[in-house]
Amino acid sequence: MVNRRSILIASLAAASLAVSPALAATGPAFDANAFADAQKAGRPILIAIHASCCPTCKAQAPIVSELRADPRFKNLAYFEIDFDSQKDLVNHFGARMQSTLIVFKGDKEEGRSVGDTNRDSIYALVSKTI
């Protein structure tokens, strides 16, 4: 017989499964020193400006996570900037909206996209840096 405890446990388990992909895609917060080091080294860099409540950002997260695991992008430096709490960095990078992806090759910005959830075009954007 199903009781309240069983329903509660099943609900919590389902909720944790639904949340775990979003948490898995969370990357390192922006670090100015690490960013400067990556620029000096000429590394490819991807900055994701996101908001936790943004559905577009949530759709981008698994694509970015997959991209970061791809051997072609093994040298990619990745940083996240929170749109809501890091306004100084959002303004520094000239982002007007969350779900903005910005790529650099060393100290040169190679491109950016806003609101893109297409796997192929996100890969193409980041491929400009390698």
Side-chain angles (χ1 to χ4, degrees):
M1 181 178 327
V2 177
N3 60 29
R4 281 190 220 167
R5 179 181 282 168
S6 298
I7 292 171
L8 179 60
I9 291 170
S11 296
L12 289 174
S16 69
L17 289 174
V19 170
S20 62
L23 294 176
T26 300
F30 184 83
D31 177 299
N33 292 330
F35 178 69
D37 290 344
Q39 285 188 306
K40 286 179 193 169
R43 289 180 60 193
I45 302 166
L46 170 60
I47 295 177
I49 299 178
H50 74 100
S52 59
C53 62
C54 170
T56 304
C57 299
K58 288 178 184 176
Q60 288 175 335
I63 298 167
V64 171
S65 182
E66 175 188 321
L67 183 142
R68 291 177 58 208
D70 188 317
R72 291 178 291 172
F73 303 106
K74 66 182 177 192
N75 293 323
L76 181 70
Y78 176 69
F79 303 99
E80 288 185 2
I81 296 173
D82 186 272
F83 184 80
D84 297 319
S85 66
Q86 296 178 298
K87 289 294 188 184
D88 57 332
L89 289 170
V90 170
N91 291 332
H92 174 77
F93 286 103
R96 303 215 186 272
M97 296 180 62
Q98 66 269 19
S99 73
T100 299
L101 301 174
I102 307 169
V103 293
F104 291 84
K105 176 68 173 177
D107 60 357
K108 182 177 183 246
E109 182 178 325
E110 294 292 335
R112 64 176 56 207
S113 69
V114 179
D116 188 1
T117 59
N118 180 285
R119 180 189 180 280
D120 292 339
S121 58
I122 292 173
Y123 267 70
L125 175 70
V126 179
S127 292
K128 292 179 180 182
T129 66
I130 57 173

